[in-house]
Amino acid sequence: MGAPIRSRLLDFAEPDPPGRAVPGQEPRRSHLLDLVEAAPPPGPAADDRPRPKPGVPAYHTPVFVPAHPRSVAGTGTDGRPARVPFVVFELFAHPAHGTVAFAFTTPQKLVEALGEAQPWIAASLGPMTEGVAEQGLTVLLDPRVTPGEPNWRPEDLAAYAREVRR
């Protein structure tokens, strides 16, 4: 996954209070844990399909993840130079959790949080969670961010499109 892409959205509307409870408020709990607890336990592997590890949300849970395409110079199957495409999850700096990945349960929630120009992909929450956990990162489901300048603007997308066409 490489180095994190640093977002300009570093301030969150509801930062976790470090080591102390908020009076009159229940401690917040990740929606990710709700999905894990609601999922049936993995059945015996009767086929070769991957199964989620214990504590990982069901593989079929769809989410919408800030991400964009990248490519590197490589060699095609014919031995000639070629661009090798791949997708990069965008990572964000969180004041309490360090570097995190965002996942949203609807595209509308992603747009509300990050703006209309934010590139994204649809993914399955289980494999995504396992992938970022291998990197020592956390997934925040439907995070609320402080309104402000979006991470991607239409002119950023246009500049990015020109760059990848070179």
Side-chain angles (χ1 to χ4, degrees):
M1 287 189 356
I5 297 168
R6 295 293 175 197
S7 170
R8 292 180 292 226
L9 301 173
L10 299 178
D11 299 320
F12 289 77
E14 298 179 312
D16 294 318
R20 58 186 162 84
V22 176
Q25 184 180 21
E26 289 288 318
R28 285 195 323 235
R29 188 170 183 275
S30 171
H31 293 293
L32 198 58
L33 295 175
D34 296 335
L35 293 170
V36 169
E37 290 172 357
D47 54 26
D48 291 338
R49 290 185 303 170
R51 304 278 188 220
K53 296 175 185 171
V56 173
Y59 269 38
H60 65 277
T61 307
V63 290
F64 304 89
V65 182
H68 62 274
R70 293 277 182 148
S71 65
V72 294
T75 304
T77 55
D78 59 359
R80 298 171 70 188
R83 297 298 297 176
V84 179
F86 60 97
V87 173
V88 176
F89 288 149
E90 293 187 17
L91 303 176
F92 298 84
H94 187 279
H97 301 292
T99 301
V100 298
F102 288 169
F104 297 87
T105 53
T106 67
Q108 293 79 17
K109 289 182 179 180
L110 182 141
V111 168
E112 288 170 9
L114 302 176
E116 291 182 348
Q118 175 65 52
W120 57 270
I121 61 167
S124 292
L125 186 56
M128 179 195 174
T129 303
E130 286 182 342
V132 299
E134 289 173 1
Q135 303 297 317
L137 305 176
T138 302
V139 175
L140 295 182
L141 189 63
D142 290 331
R144 291 179 36 172
V145 298
T146 302
E149 188 173 333
N151 199 32
W152 286 76
R153 299 171 306 194
E155 56 268 26
D156 297 329
L157 287 176
Y160 185 78
R162 284 190 302 274
E163 182 65 28
V164 296
R165 288 186 190 130
R166 287 185 187 182

